[in-house]
Amino acid sequence: LILAEWMNDVAFPLWTSAPVSAGGLDFSPMIIGQVMAAIGFCVIPVQLFLFPWLQRRVGALAIARWGTLMSALATPILPFATFPLAFPPSPVKVWTCIVLGHVLRYAFTEMVFIANNLLSNNAVVQADRGAYVGITTTASCIGRIVGPLASGPLVAWSLTNGSTSPPFNHFLTFLLCSVALLVNAAAAFAMPRSMEHALPESRTEPYLDRAGI
């Protein structure tokens, strides 16, 4: 999830600043900054109000499953803003794709991050939680390193390779992000429902329920 998120975060400003002839939006740095600031403000009510409401009604596991899936489906919408190429691109189409493919995706992803934190706390007993958090944090840091390293060159190549149709035009990075999110969604749907509840603290108690048996 971290890998896909950081790939997307790097790809968005690079793609939106690229010229329309290459498949970008030719946004100025000011417009890109305003869009990213607006996304930040939109996430606040999602975290404060929408996530708690959903968590009480459907649980963290359902949010992790369906939030990741919806994020994977929303991500490829974004590059449709300039496909097929039009000069100039339709403002209505551009902003619709940004709202659906970036703002909503970001909201879904933020809810999934919170849900994953809750589920992670339920995955191990208290005595092992420190080691578990250390492992997951290390994996997260690797994703934060690999994501930008992969995303930047991929965006640059997709905008300059001369391709005018998916998947090797400006769609490429966003499609790879979507695939990574689908893998995460598959993993989330494989989690047993018992992840909604904390493990027994005693090491001697059986773990059959966690295994879904």
Side-chain angles (χ1 to χ4, degrees):
L1 187 63
I2 286 287
L3 176 64
E5 182 67 7
W6 277 79
M7 286 182 67
N8 212 309
D9 284 348
V10 171
F12 180 76
L14 294 176
W15 169 67
T16 52
S17 64
V20 175
S21 59
L25 293 175
D26 203 17
F27 278 2
S28 67
M30 179 177 290
I31 295 177
I32 296 172
Q34 289 171 347
V35 171
M36 299 181 76
I39 292 172
F41 281 110
C42 291
V43 169
I44 294 174
V46 169
Q47 293 180 330
L48 290 179
F49 306 109
L50 182 58
F51 178 84
W53 183 81
L54 286 174
Q55 198 273 332
R56 288 193 299 268
R57 282 158 179 77
V58 301
L61 184 57
I63 295 173
R65 288 172 171 175
W66 294 104
T68 309
L69 181 60
M70 294 304 295
S71 183
L73 297 177
T75 298
I77 295 175
L78 189 58
F80 276 102
T82 54
F83 182 82
L85 291 178
F87 300 92
S90 166
V92 174
K93 182 182 178 182
V94 166
W95 290 107
T96 299
C97 289
I98 288 176
V99 169
L100 295 177
H102 198 61
V103 178
L104 283 183
R105 179 204 62 80
Y106 207 90
F108 285 131
T109 304
E110 289 302 310
M111 287 196 291
V112 172
F113 275 128
I114 302 172
N116 282 347
N117 286 334
L118 294 175
L119 296 172
S120 294
N121 284 331
N122 293 339
V124 293
V125 295
Q126 180 66 35
D128 297 330
R129 197 160 292 157
Y132 181 81
V133 170
I135 294 171
T136 55
T137 302
T138 301
S140 175
C141 289
I142 293 173
R144 287 185 173 96
I145 294 171
V146 175
L149 286 175
S151 185
L154 280 172
V155 173
W157 183 79
S158 67
L159 294 173
T160 59
N161 65 17
S163 178
T164 58
S165 59
F168 296 112
N169 61 348
H170 63 283
F171 275 75
L172 179 61
T173 308
F174 300 103
L175 289 174
L176 291 176
C177 289
S178 182
V179 170
L181 288 167
L182 286 174
V183 172
N184 276 272
F189 276 96
M191 294 179 183
R193 290 188 178 275
S194 55
M195 289 285 290
E196 292 279 8
H197 308 288
L199 277 172
E201 289 302 323
S202 173
R203 291 176 178 269
T204 60
E205 294 190 43
Y207 291 83
L208 295 179
D209 188 48
R210 174 60 77 249
I213 299 175

